[in-house]
């Protein structure tokens, strides 16, 4: 039994075997491509590490895939690091796809001197790309070995071993053929800058989209459709997208995944993108791309935001009904659970926005950490004032330069702007900094420049704009509560997107602190209810599982006072739904202002109904809150149901080559 479970691999080249974690490639060293090992070669003759069928020979000849006949292990032999850029010049292939090889057979040669002359590393990497499904262990004998020597042994995991014993082992490389056809019809490896994936789509950044054969790709078995948006060539796969993505990366190499190489790829793609020529076309193009970046950056954390929003609602109920005291340790612990994702949102958004825009995600995560660093937060929230400028308090100095340090906890837009800056800065730094110094100095300069740009320039600009808007809003409210309700209701969530709403929050806090209530906060509450009403309509109307999976938690979260999941996950993403939600919010704000609804607490939306109870005795504000909230829900729900969303929107892309099909997921 034990013998039958064993798998073996031999050294693919003469040289020094090292652990995979020591390979100077973050994708392989982190185990993202599976278990394996590296070899520092002393000659360029490459042999097969296992017996099996050659399932893939990369177009640029830098990688070969072999699948074993009995265990269906998918073994990748990757020759050199970043050698895909050499376009096959240093390699000679001795095998082709579908050919049978035995362990130790010569399958390729690599010109080590040519690779070194191109300033690339010659490390040969062997990775079992499906090891997470197949292998329980893999032990590697490190040190010097001749080509073809036994170097790694492992055991199949229990599921694979039992399936093999009963003759039910699934076929290997199920998506290899589909991946190969997609690669060929997007113009080949030479036409690909990078590729990422979302929940249903492969998203290629191509050098020339005109080389892609839309009709052939759309007709492939396993492909639902093709779309083009935001500089991406999107191949709609459906639930199997992760498997197809893995098969694509296995064939073209991890250099094309959304890691170190993506920065250069996205920069080149954005530069080559076809932009509209008319002013209105440029505005629409810019807004479409901006919204795409914002929603794309937020999607990975939407589930966390929704869960945290629901937890915030539960906590509000616990404190409202005196089940938990706001000063008790129980409250502190639960509040930390519900609030941490919002407090440290710049870190998460920095990471996801960087992946979206092509910067280094880890570096942008660190930049987010700089913005939420306790000392920075303390400066922003402190009372220290060194003067004022354009309505800003000067609360710090930087090498003697007076600056305003704003608060960035809970913020989104500054990090997206920072990620955009990093995506432009990083490729330039890599061009001007010698390779041997990049590991230290690229992160150093990037963190310093991007953090400094946000703290010293972007933050103050946002503060000036938001302070100006806040003054305008206060003036309008003093002139007419009804008109201000209409205006604030319609545009408050737009301000949230760009982080311009923060100047309104101190006004609300000051109102509550000095008078015990805030009419303005009551209007803000109506905008939360409106987002919930709109996403509720989508949750009930849509037949798509992935839409419902997002919409229902987002509805609950919005009614608990947290609108980010509804706004970024659904409403803003599909455009018209955000507009119809804003229409409902405008109506709700108008009614709130007309009825002069007052609010005595911070917590808004439906979960905050007790905030509308006057401590001196219930008055009309409580009933006015319910009237305006119900009307808001009805208007936003109805408008969204009729005009704001249909399932075809999940697939319809205006720049697609042909009409989108109905009933497909995004």
């Amino acid at each position: 039994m034990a013998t039958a479970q064993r798998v073996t691999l031999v050294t693919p080249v003469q040289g020094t075997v090292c652990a995979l974690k020591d390979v100077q490639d973050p994708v392989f060293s982190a185990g993202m491509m599976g278990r394996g090992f590296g070899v520092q070669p002393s000659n360029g003759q490459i042999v097969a590490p296992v017996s099996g069928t050659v399932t893939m020979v990369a177009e640029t000849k830098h990688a070969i895939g072999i699948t074993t006949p009995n265990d269906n292990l998918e073994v990748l032999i990757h020759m050199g690091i970043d050698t895909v850029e050499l376009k096959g010049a240093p390699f000679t292939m001795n095998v082709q796809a579908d050919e049978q090889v035995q362990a130790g057979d010569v399958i390729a040669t690599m010109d080590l001197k040519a690779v070194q002359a191109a300033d690339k590393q010659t490390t040969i990497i062997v990775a079992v790309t499906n090891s997470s499904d197949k292998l329980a262990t893999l032990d590697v004998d490190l040190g010097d070995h001749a080509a073809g020597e036994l170097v790694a042994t492992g055991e199949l995991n229990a599921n694979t071993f039992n399936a093999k014993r009963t003759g039910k082992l699934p076929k290997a490389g199920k998506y290899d053929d589909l991946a190969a056809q997609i690669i060929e019809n997007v113009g080949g490896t030479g036409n690909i800058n990078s590729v990422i994936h979302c929940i249903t789509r492969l998203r290629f950044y191509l050098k020339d989209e005109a080389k892609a054969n839309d009709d052939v790709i759309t007709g492939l078995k396993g492909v639902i459709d093709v779309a083009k948006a935001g500089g991406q060539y999107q191949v709609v796969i459906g639930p199997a997208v992760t498997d197809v993505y893995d098969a694509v990366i296995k064939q073209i190499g991890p250099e094309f995944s959304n890691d170190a190489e993506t920065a250069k790829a996205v920069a080149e793609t954005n530069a080559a993108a076809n932009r509209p020529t008319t002013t209105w076309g440029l505005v629409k193009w810019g807004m479409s791309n901006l919204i795409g970046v914002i929603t794309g950056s937020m999607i990975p954390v939407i589930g966390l935001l929704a869960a945290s929003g629901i937890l915030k609602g539960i906590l509000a109920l616990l404190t409202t009904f005196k089940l938990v005291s706001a000063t008790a340790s129980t409250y502190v612990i639960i509040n930390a659970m519900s609030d941490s994702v919002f407090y440290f949102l710049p870190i998460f958004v920095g990471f996801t926005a960087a992946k979206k825009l092509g910067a280094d995600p880890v570096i942008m995560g660190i930049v987010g950490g700089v913005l939420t660093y306790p000392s920075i937060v303390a400066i922003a929230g402190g009372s220290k004032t060194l003067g004022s400028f354009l309505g800003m308090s000067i609360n710090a100095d930087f090498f003697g330069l007076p600056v305003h340090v704003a608060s960035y906890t809970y913020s989104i837009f500054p990090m997206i702007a920072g990620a955009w800056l990093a995506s432009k800065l990083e490729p330039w730094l890599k061009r001007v900094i010698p390779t041997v110094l990049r590991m230290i100095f690229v992160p150093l300069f990037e963190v310093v420049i991007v953090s400094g740009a946000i703290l010293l320039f972007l933050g103050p600009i946002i503060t000036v704009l938001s302070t100006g808007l806040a003054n305008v809003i206060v003036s309008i409210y003093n002139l007419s509560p009804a008109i201000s309700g209409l205006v604030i209701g319609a545009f408050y969530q737009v301000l949230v997107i760009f982080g311009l709403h923060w100047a309104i929050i101190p006004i609300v806090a000051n109102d509550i602190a000095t008078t015990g209530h805030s009419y303005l906060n009551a209007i803000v509450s109506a905008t939360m209810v409106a987002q919930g009403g709109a996403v509720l309509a989508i949750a009930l109307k849509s037949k798509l599982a992935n839409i419902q999976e997002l919409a229902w938690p987002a509805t609950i979260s919005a009614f608990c006072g947290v609108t980010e999941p509804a706004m970024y996950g659904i409403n803003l993403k599909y455009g018209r739904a955000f507009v119809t939600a804003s229409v409902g919010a405008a109506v709700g704000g108008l009614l709130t202002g007309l009825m002069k609804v007052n609010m005595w607490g911070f917590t808004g939306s439906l979960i905050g109904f007790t905030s509308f109870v006057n401590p001196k005795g219930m008055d009309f504000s409580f009933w006015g809150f319910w009237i305006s909230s119900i009307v808001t829900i009805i208007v936003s729900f109805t408008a969204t149901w009729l005009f704001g969303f249909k399932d075809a929107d999940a697939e319809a892309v205006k720049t697609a080559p042909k009409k989108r099909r109905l009933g497909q997921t995004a």
Side-chain angles (χ1 to χ4, degrees), residues 123-478:
T123 309
I124 307 295
I125 304 167
V126 176
V128 182
T129 58
N130 60 348
S131 56
S132 60
D133 296 328
K134 300 288 186 180
L135 294 180
T137 63
L138 185 67
D139 299 317
V140 180
D141 183 15
L142 307 182
D144 294 335
H145 288 273
E149 281 189 6
L150 179 64
V151 69
T153 58
E155 289 187 355
L156 296 175
N157 61 34
N159 291 337
T160 300
F161 176 65
N162 291 332
K164 175 183 174 182
R165 185 181 59 185
T166 57
K168 296 180 180 179
L169 197 65
K171 292 182 179 180
K174 179 179 179 181
Y175 297 100
D176 285 347
D177 184 56
L178 174 60
Q181 292 184 69
I182 292 173
I183 294 167
E184 178 183 354
N185 285 285
V186 296
T189 305
N191 194 39
I192 300 172
N193 276 325
S194 66
V195 59
I196 59 176
H197 75 85
C198 58
I199 57 175
T200 59
R201 302 181 182 196
L202 292 177
R203 296 175 175 245
F204 289 91
Y205 291 98
L206 300 180
K207 295 176 181 176
D208 184 359
E209 284 190 358
K211 292 183 178 180
N213 194 328
D214 301 343
D215 293 333
V216 172
I217 294 175
T218 304
L220 294 175
K221 184 178 180 180
V223 173
I224 298 174
D225 210 343
V226 166
K228 300 173 185 176
Q232 297 174 343
Y233 187 89
Q234 303 175 3
V235 182
V236 186
I237 301 295
V241 66
T242 303
D243 297 316
V244 179
Y245 173 81
D246 290 342
V248 168
I249 292 300
K250 182 174 69 175
Q251 295 187 33
I252 65 177
E255 296 90 345
F256 291 92
S257 60
N258 194 15
D259 289 88
E261 290 299 311
T262 305
K264 181 180 178 181
V266 174
E268 291 176 350
T269 303
N270 286 341
N274 294 320
R275 302 188 180 188
T277 55
T278 65
T279 301
W280 177 239
L282 283 169
V283 171
K284 288 169 60 179
W285 178 87
M287 288 303 298
S288 175
N289 278 276
L290 177 60
I291 290 172
V293 170
I294 292 173
T295 57
S297 300
M298 292 299 295
I299 284 294
V301 295
I302 287 298
L304 278 171
L305 293 175
S308 297
I310 294 170
L311 192 56
K312 278 179 173 288
I314 294 172
L315 187 60
L317 289 176
L318 291 174
T319 54
T320 295
F321 293 103
K322 312 294 184 185
L323 297 175
V324 174
S325 168
T327 59
S329 57
T330 299
Y331 176 92
V332 173
I333 293 171
I334 297 177
N335 187 58
M337 294 176 184
S338 66
D339 203 43
S340 62
V341 67
F342 295 97
Y343 190 89
F344 297 109
L345 197 58
I347 297 175
F348 305 130
V349 173
F351 188 90
T352 57
K355 294 187 72 174
K356 179 77 175 176
L357 289 168
D360 188 309
V362 174
I363 293 176
M364 283 310 301
I366 296 299
V367 172
V370 172
L371 302 187
T372 56
Y373 195 73
S375 299
I376 299 294
V377 175
I379 293 174
S383 58
K384 179 180 178 181
T385 302
L386 303 177
S388 63
F389 178 72
L390 294 176
M392 295 184 299
S393 63
I394 304 302
N395 53 10
D397 69 87
F398 187 73
F399 286 108
L401 177 70
V403 296
H404 168 78
V405 176
S407 175
Y408 296 95
T409 57
Y410 298 80
S411 65
I412 295 167
F413 187 72
M415 289 306 302
I416 292 175
W420 175 84
L421 174 61
S423 72
K424 305 299 181 184
L425 177 65
E426 191 172 312
W428 179 79
L429 289 174
K430 288 182 176 179
R431 285 197 298 270
V432 300
I433 297 176
T435 303
V436 294
L437 300 177
R438 286 179 189 172
M439 181 177 293
I440 296 174
F441 287 99
V442 169
L444 170 64
F445 287 122
E446 200 168 336
V447 169
V448 170
I449 293 172
V450 176
S451 299
I454 295 175
L455 288 168
L456 303 179
F457 299 102
L458 182 60
I461 290 172
I462 290 177
T463 299
V464 169
L465 291 175
S466 57
T467 301
L469 284 169
N471 292 334
V472 170
I473 288 171
V474 171
S475 299
I476 294 174
Y477 190 87
N478 292 333

Side-chain angles (χ1 to χ4, degrees), residues 4-220:
Q5 287 184 295
R6 304 294 290 179
V7 295
T8 60
L9 293 89
V10 303
T11 319
V13 67
Q14 180 177 316
T16 303
V17 175
C18 64
L20 196 61
K21 65 181 178 63
D22 295 327
V23 169
Q24 298 300 307
D25 184 295
V27 176
F28 283 109
S29 62
M32 294 171 64
M33 295 299 290
R35 299 182 181 185
F37 56 89
V39 186
Q40 300 299 334
S42 56
N43 67 46
Q45 189 175 71
I46 314 300
V47 304
V50 292
S51 299
T53 303
V54 177
T55 51
M56 182 275 297
V57 175
E59 184 178 330
T60 48
K61 302 180 183 180
H62 70 290
I64 298 173
I66 301 174
T67 299
T68 62
N70 297 321
D71 307 314
N72 288 345
L73 297 182
E74 298 175 359
V75 180
L76 176 68
I77 305 95
H78 193 278
M79 294 174 281
I81 296 175
D82 293 339
T83 48
V84 66
E85 299 174 4
L86 305 183
K87 303 185 184 303
F91 308 106
T92 302
M93 294 291 105
N94 291 32
V95 294
Q96 57 187 358
D98 297 326
E99 187 173 334
Q100 301 295 316
V101 296
Q102 298 297 315
D105 287 352
V106 177
I107 56 175
T109 56
M110 179 172 72
D111 187 337
L112 302 185
K113 292 183 179 179
V115 173
Q116 292 166 343
D119 200 23
K120 305 296 181 185
Q121 295 189 46
T122 58
T123 309
I124 307 295
I125 304 167
V126 176
V128 182
T129 58
N130 60 348
S131 56
S132 60
D133 296 328
K134 300 288 186 180
L135 294 180
T137 63
L138 185 67
D139 299 317
V140 180
D141 183 15
L142 307 182
D144 294 335
H145 288 273
E149 281 189 6
L150 179 64
V151 69
T153 58
E155 289 187 355
L156 296 175
N157 61 34
N159 291 337
T160 300
F161 176 65
N162 291 332
K164 175 183 174 182
R165 185 181 59 185
T166 57
K168 296 180 180 179
L169 197 65
K171 292 182 179 180
K174 179 179 179 181
Y175 297 100
D176 285 347
D177 184 56
L178 174 60
Q181 292 184 69
I182 292 173
I183 294 167
E184 178 183 354
N185 285 285
V186 296
T189 305
N191 194 39
I192 300 172
N193 276 325
S194 66
V195 59
I196 59 176
H197 75 85
C198 58
I199 57 175
T200 59
R201 302 181 182 196
L202 292 177
R203 296 175 175 245
F204 289 91
Y205 291 98
L206 300 180
K207 295 176 181 176
D208 184 359
E209 284 190 358
K211 292 183 178 180
N213 194 328
D214 301 343
D215 293 333
V216 172
I217 294 175
T218 304
L220 294 175

